[in-house]
Each structure stands twice: as structure tokens, then as C-alpha cells.
Amino acid sequence: MTADGQPSADHGAVDVVALGESMVTFLPTRPGRLADVPAFARGIGGAESNVVCALAAAGHSTRWVGRVGADGFGRHLVERIASHGVDTSAVRVDPDRPTGIYFRTAADRATDAHEVAYYRAGSAASAMSVDTVDLAAVDAGRVLHLSGITAALSDGCLELMRALTSPRSGRPVVSFDVNFRPALWRDASDASVLLELARGADLVFVGVDEAEDAWGVRGGADAVRRLLPEPRVLVVKEGSSGATVYERTEAGGRTGAGAGERTHAGERTAHVPALAVDVVATVGAGDAFAAGFLSATLRGLPARDRLRHGHLMAAAALTAPGDLAAPPARDHADRLAALDDHAWERLRLGPGWTGTGQVTEETSTP
């Protein structure tokens, strides 16, 4: 029995466990301001559950650990996430607090026209803590994936995140996506806690824009690595220019540099340019990138290929509406990830590319 009176269960080991809040999201039926949109379609959203849904679709065993209200929205969330092949047996139902919901506009998140209205204060997920979460289920994964969003939900959630990223016996590999959301933090200085959590993780995902906004870091990916030397693996997303991975080499491990990699002073690095994509929607692309990188990591692929699989999974999300998209078949993704640098940089992916297997090359321009 957990401290909040809910039954514990024996949870088998899985590849990836993700902990965090998922919400029912209401998507506009047409572009425009929230004040003008006449109707919305229901979907689901949650950075951490997005990652494990994508990983389950890619053939990995996954679990989502969260907390929902005893309401129809909570039931909908659990059923939808489970329908993707994710184990939801460790999700707890709060009898007193509601499931969080939010509304958003159709505009790109990066534009001034984008609006999001969150109704998550006092949600069931905000009551997650070391006493209300099944920690045995959390630790029963090869990888535990977390997000900085959770730390902003409540003091109890922050305490939980600190406990999960602290050194402890039996801790799985901790993957942490900074996921800085300014609207969730009362003051920009509060986001300094994200740096503390990132320093406790084994694998960290962060964008150069996030690092500047949250921590004032300028100077590109290398500057972010200088600020964050602690994680064994650091993935810095650089927008349209691509992503760079930094990985400390382990004593007795693989030596030398693989394709697209370089080594220096006990660290292996690789940079992979972003793909040219005909974008349908940007929501969920960062979560998909993390899923692609984690999938390739679980398979033991080299650094360059882990980044390429991250880009490919992100491209699947960018070329489909909604937060979740079907990933490319593994053999298809492997073929694309194995392309030489010239062929990779000439790829252009559009809607439907994951299902048809058809891709095109960029044509050169004067």
C-alpha cells in the first residue's frame, strides 16, 4: 500500500519508465485567437507520456507513472495512453483533485500568435510526491525519463524530482529533458532548479534557446556543455542547424571515433544537421526527438546514429498533426540513419513519409 492509501503492485522490468503530468488537450477546429475559436477537438498531451508512447510504437516496453483525477478526463487519458501499448498500471487516481486540461491555438508555439490556457493548478498530478508515487514502479526500468515541467507543478513534485535525480542505490539511468516552460515558473530565477536537476541526471536534453532563457547561457552548444559537465551524455538541440551530443568516454569502453564523431580529452562529440521537413505541426517534436535518441541508445547505436534517429522521430511528429505520430519502421529508419553525410543533408521529408517509405532529395538551388 502506498502512503496515500492506494494499492501497490508488482511491476515487471521495462525498457523505459516516464513520470510526469499528462493532460487532456483541446485543439482548435480552426486557426484564430482562443477568444474567436468556436469549437475544439479533444486530444491528450504530456511531454513524458508522449515519449513513452513513441517508444512503445518503436517496439520498446514502456511504463507511464502519473496521477489523474477520478473523472472522465482521467479515464480518457489512461485509456488513450494504454492504447499505444504503454503500461499504465502504476497510474494513481486522486479522489479529490481533477485531471488537468488545457486549450491551445493552432499557431506555432514559437510565434507571438500562439496561445495556451492551462487549467492545471491543484490538479491530481500536482499532488505527486515521494509519498504518493509507486517508487518501485518508477525504478523498474532500464531508463527513467523525467522532464523539468514536473518540477514546476508543486513543492511536492519538486521534492520528488530531487529524490529521483539524487544518487541512490538501484537508480536506473536518469534521462532528463529540461523542457523549460516560462509560463509555469513564477520568476525566471526559479528556473535555476532545472540546472540542479540536470546536473543530477545521466542523460540530458536541452535546447540552446532554453539554456539562454532559463540560465542566461550564450555561446552555443559548447557553452552549454561547459555549464553542464556533470551528465555523462548531454544532447544540445540547436534548432534548424541540428543537434550536438557530448558523451564522456568510459574507461575500458569503446575507444576512438566512429562515423561523424570526434574525441578529445575523454569526451566523444558528434553533430548532426537537422532534416529538411515540410512541417504540419510543431507540437510534440521535442518529445519525439528524445524518444528517437533513447530508442537508439537502448539499441547501443553510436552517437551520430542516436542523433539521426532523434531527428527522424522528430520529423515524424513534424509531418503529422497532434502530439503523437506513428514512427517510421525500424528498418526504414535504420536505412536513412546509415546514409552518408551528403545524402542525409539532401533528404526532404513530407507528410506520409513514415507510412509510404518514400522520401525525396532536396534539389540544389543557385
Side-chain angles (χ1 to χ4, degrees), residues 224-353:
V224 178
R225 184 51 161 172
R226 287 193 293 272
L227 181 71
L228 270 174
E230 296 86 356
R232 188 175 64 83
V233 179
L234 174 68
V235 179
V236 182
K237 297 175 287 185
E238 302 164 275
S240 59
S241 67
T244 299
V245 60
Y246 301 82
E247 181 176 22
R248 286 202 307 273
T249 55
E250 303 293 340
R254 181 169 65 92
T255 59
E261 302 174 359
R262 57 187 174 89
T263 58
H264 176 70
E267 182 159 85
R268 182 179 297 113
T269 64
H271 174 83
V272 172
L275 290 163
V277 176
D278 296 325
V279 176
V280 172
T282 59
V283 177
D287 304 329
F289 181 94
F293 189 92
L294 287 172
S295 175
T297 298
L298 288 164
R299 296 170 59 201
L301 299 184
R304 185 204 68 171
D305 291 359
R306 280 177 269 157
L307 288 176
R308 286 190 172 189
H309 278 277
H311 284 312
L312 289 166
M313 196 82 88
L318 289 167
T319 53
D323 283 24
L324 294 169
R330 181 173 291 184
D331 60 348
H332 181 205
D334 284 343
R335 285 194 299 271
L336 295 179
L339 292 172
D340 63 44
D341 290 346
H342 179 71
W344 172 266
E345 292 174 15
R346 290 177 62 85
L347 284 179
R348 186 176 193 92
L349 304 179
W353 74 272

Side-chain angles (χ1 to χ4, degrees), residues 22-326:
S22 293
M23 296 186 292
V24 171
T25 175
F26 290 91
L27 311 173
T29 54
R30 74 179 192 192
R33 303 183 308 158
L34 285 179
D36 301 327
V37 174
F40 296 81
R42 183 178 66 176
I44 65 171
E48 302 84 2
S49 57
N50 284 347
V51 170
V52 285
C53 285
L55 282 165
H60 299 280
S61 57
T62 63
R63 174 177 300 128
W64 172 56
V65 178
R67 197 170 176 87
V68 300
D71 48 40
F73 290 145
R75 288 190 293 275
H76 176 68
L77 271 176
V78 174
E79 290 169 2
R80 281 288 307 278
I81 293 170
S83 73
H84 289 272
V86 177
D87 173 14
T88 58
S89 62
V91 175
R92 295 289 178 248
V93 178
D94 191 311
D96 303 314
R97 299 174 181 85
T99 304
I101 64 173
Y102 74 100
F103 296 78
R104 67 174 174 84
T105 55
D108 189 303
R109 180 178 282 152
T111 70
D112 292 336
H114 182 73
E115 297 174 76
V116 180
Y118 289 108
Y119 298 89
R120 74 196 313 174
S123 70
S126 71
M128 288 190 296
S129 71
V130 292
D131 295 322
T132 62
V133 164
D134 189 337
L135 296 178
V138 171
D139 283 346
R142 294 170 60 188
V143 175
L144 169 61
H145 182 71
L146 305 169
S147 156
I149 294 170
T150 306
L153 300 182
S154 68
D155 290 341
C157 284
L158 176 54
E159 179 189 11
L160 173 63
M161 291 289 287
R162 282 177 164 149
L164 295 177
T165 55
S166 296
R168 55 195 170 87
S169 177
R171 188 182 98 163
V173 172
V174 174
S175 165
F176 179 70
D177 192 334
V178 171
N179 253 327
F180 177 53
R181 298 286 185 269
L184 296 179
W185 297 92
R186 292 181 296 275
D187 185 278
S189 62
D190 294 338
S192 62
V193 73
L194 297 175
L195 185 58
E196 171 197 338
L197 297 173
R199 285 174 168 159
D202 302 297
L203 164 58
V204 172
F205 299 94
V206 64
V208 288
D209 54 343
E210 293 178 302
E212 180 172 352
D213 293 343
W215 308 321
V217 179
R218 296 176 178 83
D222 286 346
V224 178
R225 184 51 161 172
R226 287 193 293 272
L227 181 71
L228 270 174
E230 296 86 356
R232 188 175 64 83
V233 179
L234 174 68
V235 179
V236 182
K237 297 175 287 185
E238 302 164 275
S240 59
S241 67
T244 299
V245 60
Y246 301 82
E247 181 176 22
R248 286 202 307 273
T249 55
E250 303 293 340
R254 181 169 65 92
T255 59
E261 302 174 359
R262 57 187 174 89
T263 58
H264 176 70
E267 182 159 85
R268 182 179 297 113
T269 64
H271 174 83
V272 172
L275 290 163
V277 176
D278 296 325
V279 176
V280 172
T282 59
V283 177
D287 304 329
F289 181 94
F293 189 92
L294 287 172
S295 175
T297 298
L298 288 164
R299 296 170 59 201
L301 299 184
R304 185 204 68 171
D305 291 359
R306 280 177 269 157
L307 288 176
R308 286 190 172 189
H309 278 277
H311 284 312
L312 289 166
M313 196 82 88
L318 289 167
T319 53
D323 283 24
L324 294 169

